Amino acid sequence: PDGTLFAYTNEGSEESGLWVVGVNSTQTIEVLAPAARTFYGLTFSPDGMHIYYSVRDEKNLSGSLFRVPALGGMSEKILSDIQVPVTFSPDGREIAFVRELKGRSTMVIATVNAPIIENVLVERPSGLEFSMSGASWSPDGIKIAVGGKHDGLHGEPVEVTGKVRLIHEGAFDLAGVMGKGMRHSRGKTV
């Protein structure tokens, strides 16, 4: 969050691990040793103390969200049935994410501390799914922006406030995390 650390995985090999490196440092810290798993998203907590990661492995076939101290330690399972990065509310007490189950795409908000309470904010049918690339919570805490399919092939940026509203006209070939840039099919980044 303060730009001094970044986390990365080594996807593409039989075993994937998680490491943290200081931006102005050559020291690499192994947070999670390589193992047979696939990462779907990494997100630092707002205070920078933890990394939330979505992963699929032999024990979590439909994906799960875990929390691990940013400089290493024991992982804690937070949620099941999740294969996307999460976004934090401005106060850091809640996360939002997309979940796809049984042909339905939902935007879910959940608390980050026990007891974990999940609430479905909005649901979209098959063919109109939300992007699995992640979402972004607005700084005022009122809106969540995420890519969403409008014709089953192309994405469109939408905002979620209990209902879905188109943010920008035009189809997108590449869906990315809103607020981090998104390439328009004609090359425009919004």
Side-chain angles (χ1 to χ4, degrees):
D2 64 3
T4 60
L5 296 174
F6 70 91
Y8 69 94
T9 66
N10 64 326
E11 296 298 316
S13 63
E14 290 183 23
E15 295 187 336
S16 298
L18 173 62
W19 292 269
V20 171
V21 178
V23 173
N24 296 319
S25 172
T26 58
Q27 182 182 5
T28 300
I29 299 169
E30 183 180 83
V31 178
L32 296 173
R37 62 179 153 226
T38 302
F39 287 93
Y40 289 100
L42 304 174
T43 307
F44 277 95
S45 60
D47 64 6
M49 299 299 293
H50 291 89
I51 298 171
Y52 285 70
Y53 63 96
S54 300
V55 69
R56 191 179 74 201
D57 59 22
E58 65 182 25
K59 294 179 184 176
N60 301 283
L61 296 176
S62 60
S64 292
L65 179 70
F66 290 83
R67 169 175 51 209
V68 65
L71 299 179
M74 294 296 297
S75 288
E76 175 186 7
K77 187 173 181 177
I78 305 294
L79 296 167
S80 297
D81 300 319
I82 175 172
Q83 296 181 16
V84 297
V86 299
T87 183
F88 279 87
S89 62
D91 64 10
R93 292 188 281 181
E94 296 176 300
I95 53 173
F97 58 92
V98 172
R99 177 181 281 150
E100 289 195 9
L101 285 174
K102 300 176 185 170
R104 306 300 285 179
S105 182
T106 57
M107 175 62 65
V108 180
I109 294 176
T111 56
V112 296
N113 294 313
I116 304 296
I117 300 169
E118 294 184 42
N119 291 302
V120 173
L121 187 58
V122 68
E123 185 175 299
R124 293 187 88 176
S126 181
L128 297 175
E129 298 93 351
F130 291 114
S131 168
M132 297 297 281
S133 296
S136 184
W137 209 315
S138 65
D140 63 9
I142 296 172
K143 301 172 187 170
I144 300 168
V146 64
K149 293 181 183 175
H150 72 276
D151 63 7
L153 296 173
H154 299 93
E156 63 188 6
V158 295
E159 77 180 14
V160 178
T161 57
K163 59 184 177 182
V164 177
R165 182 180 75 81
L166 180 66
I167 295 173
H168 181 278
E169 290 291 333
F172 288 78
D173 292 329
L174 301 175
V177 179
M178 293 299 297
K180 309 291 187 221
M182 186 178 239
R183 189 178 72 76
H184 189 277
S185 60
R186 291 186 277 289
K188 180 179 177 187
T189 300
V190 295

